[in-house]
Amino acid sequence: FAVTLSLHDTPSIAALGFHISYDKTRLELLECEMAPEGFNLYINKENGKAVFVGAADYIEDGTLLNLRFKVLENAEDGLAEITLAVQEALNVSENKVSFSVTSGGVQVVTRVLGDVNDDGKVDRKDAVLILKNISGMALDNFSAENADYNGDGAINSLDVIAIMKSI
């Protein structure tokens, strides 16, 4: 997946030193794709330090770069924060430029929603198990976290109907 770093109300910048931090227990940074022509990006994936530099001021709003990540196989579900801290920003006249940064993240979900028997697929067997659960039957192999298929916060017949419609 890609995370876009975009600029709004852009001051004139020719050099930008920043640090990318992310949850290394859930994510791996694969690459950075640069948007503007005439500028270079140098990034150390191991420590997250990066420098964006050009011979002229960059003054456009929009995408500066895209960070491509992958979710690690052993990642736990939850919010994987991604932050960017500007260390230095200069214009072509070598004057400091002020920046404000809004950090974000991605919600990591490693389960298959609707797959209540954890066999890797959502099928009629899952719908039947949800019905059995609703009726109060004790089940040995029932993943309740996957049962709220329609995301309304409840495990009920609406989840069964949504599963049956999707298969």
Side-chain angles (χ1 to χ4, degrees):
F1 68 92
V3 174
T4 300
L5 173 62
S6 57
L7 300 174
H8 300 281
D9 300 324
T10 308
S12 298
I13 57 169
L16 179 64
F18 57 97
H19 183 259
I20 302 165
S21 298
Y22 58 94
D23 186 343
K24 291 180 175 75
T25 66
R26 293 184 173 122
L27 304 175
E28 177 185 345
L29 178 60
L30 299 175
E31 66 180 334
C32 295
E33 299 167 345
M34 193 66 171
E37 288 187 37
F39 289 83
N40 294 304
L41 175 70
Y42 303 95
I43 186 163
N44 182 332
K45 287 190 220 176
E46 292 184 24
N47 66 16
K49 291 185 178 181
V51 177
F52 165 84
V53 66
D57 280 335
Y58 182 75
I59 56 171
E60 296 178 32
D61 284 354
T63 300
L64 181 63
L65 61 97
N66 289 308
L67 304 171
R68 286 194 353 97
F69 290 91
K70 84 170 188 180
V71 176
L72 298 174
E73 280 188 37
N74 60 345
E76 292 183 17
D77 289 356
L79 180 64
E81 290 188 22
I82 301 169
T83 61
L84 183 122
V86 174
Q87 296 169 327
E88 183 176 48
L90 302 170
N91 62 21
V92 76
S93 301
E94 299 180 17
N95 296 318
K96 289 189 177 192
V97 178
S98 297
F99 263 87
S100 64
V101 177
T102 303
S103 298
V106 293
Q107 191 68 31
V108 174
V109 179
T110 57
R111 64 188 190 276
V112 178
L113 202 54
D115 180 21
V116 297
N117 63 358
D118 291 324
D119 66 355
K121 59 185 182 251
V122 179
D123 55 23
R124 292 179 196 276
K125 293 176 188 174
D126 297 299
V128 169
L129 286 173
I130 292 173
L131 285 172
K132 288 180 177 182
N133 175 267
I134 293 168
S135 71
M137 292 179 72
L139 302 170
D140 291 333
N141 188 20
F142 185 79
S143 177
E145 67 180 1
N146 293 346
D148 183 16
Y149 188 76
N150 67 357
D152 67 356
I155 300 171
N156 54 35
S157 57
L158 295 174
D159 299 302
V160 176
I161 292 169
I163 287 173
M164 296 305 290
K165 284 182 175 179
S166 73
I167 55 177

